[in-house]
Amino acid sequence: QVQLVESGGGSVQAGDPLRLSCTASGFSAGRNCMAWFRQAPNKEREAVATVNGFGAEWYATLARGRFTIGKDVKENSLTLQMSALRPDDTAAYFCAAILDLACLSHPSAYPHWGQGTQVTVSA
């Protein structure tokens, strides 16, 4: 059974860093597509970053230069290292997976989701 469990969210000040983790079970995180999405109140869920089964990374414009996605094969997990956080980064962050080598950026393509972790950035 595929399970994704996020951790690491919290409340920080603008400019602070934060690291999110997603522990995967029931499949190999290293050999499949994994992604981070986020959803702010009254907004649609949007892609933040993806990493496919070959290790190739993709970043949304909002994340480029500030966020780094990574896989820990030993821990079978996904991470998102965020820096220079801004108040508009405030959202629930979700880990998602497609059991395939390739990734897509639209949330409807992802059948597996974690429960989400809240990130709140104060000015």
Side-chain angles (χ1 to χ4, degrees), residues 38 47-50 57-69 80-86 89 93 105:
R38 72 184 190 184
V48 175
T50 69
E57 301 167 11
W58 171 88
Y59 295 92
T61 302
L62 66 92
R64 239 165 256 156
R66 297 190 302 132
F67 296 177
T68 302
I69 192 170
L80 184 69
Q81 180 67 51
M82 303 185 289
S83 63
L85 282 164
R86 308 184 298 232
D89 292 317
Y93 283 71
S105 62

Side-chain angles (χ1 to χ4, degrees), residues 2-3 5 18 25-26 31 35 44 47-48 54 58 76 87-89 98 106-107 110 113 118 123:
V2 172
Q3 277 196 311
V5 179
L18 195 64
S25 59
R31 292 199 294 268
E44 293 188 355
V48 175
F54 300 106
W58 171 88
N76 205 40
D88 61 1
D89 292 317
I98 300 173
H106 198 281
Y110 289 76
W113 291 87
Q118 179 66 33

